[in-house]
Amino acid sequence: MGTDARVRYTKKVIQDSVIALVREKPFHRITLTEVCRLAEINRTTFYKYYRDIYDWKEQLEKECLTRTSDIVLKADAPTSVSDILTRQLQDMRDNARLYELISSPNFESNVMDMCLSMCLEKADADTKLFDGYETDSRRRWNCYFVVYGMRGVIGCWLKDGMTEEPKALASYCTEWMYRLLTSTDKNACGDTFI
C-alpha cells in the first residue's frame, strides 16, 4: 500500500467512524477518543492530518463546498435550475456517505444549505429566477423557502436510499419552485393556503 493509499485509507476510516457516531449522537458530543477507538488508529495518527475533530469537520465541509463550486463553475451559461440540480444530485448519489453525513441533523452543519444556495445563485444569475419581487425581503424569503424546501426533499431522498434518478428529483424540485415563483401575484401573502 503506497503512502497516498495509506492516507486515503486513514481519512476514510476516520470519516466512517464519525458517520457511525453521528448516527448515535450529536457531533458536539463526539470525542476524539471515540473516533480513534472506532477507527482503530491512535491520536498521533489523527493529529497527522487534523488539529482536532472540529478541524476535521471544517475540512469535510470545505470539500463539499468545493465539489459544489466545481459543479457550478463547470456549468455553461445560461444554466437551468434543473441542469445544475441534476449535476449536484448526481454528485450526492456518487458520494452518498459524505452527503448523508452532512445532511444529518446530528452533524450540526449548514453546509448542505450552502451547497444548494450556490446552485440556486448560479441559476438565478443565468436566468434571473428570483427577479420581479416588490422588496428585497420578499425575494430573500422566497430564496430561503426554496432552499429549505429542497433541503427537506433531498434529505428525504437521501434517507430513502436515492431510488429516484437525480434528473427526476431535480425536475420535481424545479417544478415546485417555478410554481411558487411564477404565481400570478408575486407579492401575495398566500392567504389561499391558510
Side-chain angles (χ1 to χ4, degrees):
M1 187 183 291
T3 304
D4 288 343
R6 274 195 300 261
V7 170
R8 282 193 308 272
Y9 172 79
T10 301
K11 289 183 174 189
K12 182 187 178 313
V13 296
I14 291 169
Q15 181 174 317
D16 290 347
S17 298
V18 174
I19 289 170
L21 292 165
V22 161
R23 287 183 179 141
E24 298 172 11
K25 59 185 167 182
F27 185 82
H28 74 273
R29 294 193 181 260
I30 295 171
T31 66
L32 181 56
T33 301
E34 292 172 312
V35 172
C36 290
R37 186 173 354 107
L38 199 55
E40 297 180 345
I41 61 171
N42 61 45
R43 293 170 84 89
T44 305
T45 302
F46 183 92
Y47 288 131
K48 275 184 177 176
Y49 309 106
Y50 311 105
R51 288 186 313 275
D52 56 30
I53 195 162
Y54 290 95
D55 180 49
W56 173 85
K57 181 179 183 182
E58 186 178 315
Q59 288 186 38
L60 185 79
E61 290 171 330
K62 284 180 182 176
E63 177 188 339
C64 292
L65 292 172
T66 299
R67 296 179 81 79
T68 299
S69 180
D70 289 348
I71 289 166
V72 167
L73 290 173
K74 289 177 184 170
D76 298 324
T79 302
S80 73
V81 176
S82 186
D83 288 344
I84 260 192
L85 277 178
T86 298
R87 291 180 188 142
Q88 179 66 42
L89 292 168
Q90 186 60 55
D91 187 60
M92 289 178 177
R93 181 182 258 182
D94 294 344
N95 299 282
R97 290 181 55 86
L98 171 68
Y99 286 101
E100 287 168 9
L101 174 63
I102 67 163
S103 69
S104 167
N106 276 352
F107 192 59
E108 302 169 333
S109 173
N110 68 345
V111 74
M112 178 70 91
D113 304 331
M114 294 167 68
C115 290
L116 292 174
S117 292
M118 287 170 63
C119 291
L120 288 177
E121 285 170 13
K122 169 64 174 164
D124 183 39
D126 290 350
T127 64
K128 305 300 179 212
L129 186 66
F130 292 101
D131 282 0
Y133 286 91
E134 182 179 280
T135 66
D136 283 342
S137 293
R138 289 186 185 274
R139 182 180 192 278
R140 195 171 59 254
W141 294 342
N142 278 312
C143 289
Y144 275 92
F145 188 84
V146 167
V147 166
Y148 287 104
M150 283 185 183
R151 188 189 199 289
V153 170
I154 291 168
C156 186
W157 178 68
L158 287 166
K159 282 182 184 175
D160 291 346
M162 300 168 285
T163 56
E164 294 289 328
E165 288 297 317
K167 186 172 184 161
L169 183 61
S171 294
Y172 175 81
C173 289
T174 304
E175 175 188 338
W176 278 100
M177 181 182 61
Y178 278 113
R179 284 184 187 187
L180 167 72
L181 299 176
T182 59
S183 66
T184 55
D185 182 0
K186 287 189 173 187
N187 298 309
C189 292
D191 293 338
T192 56
F193 296 107
I194 298 175

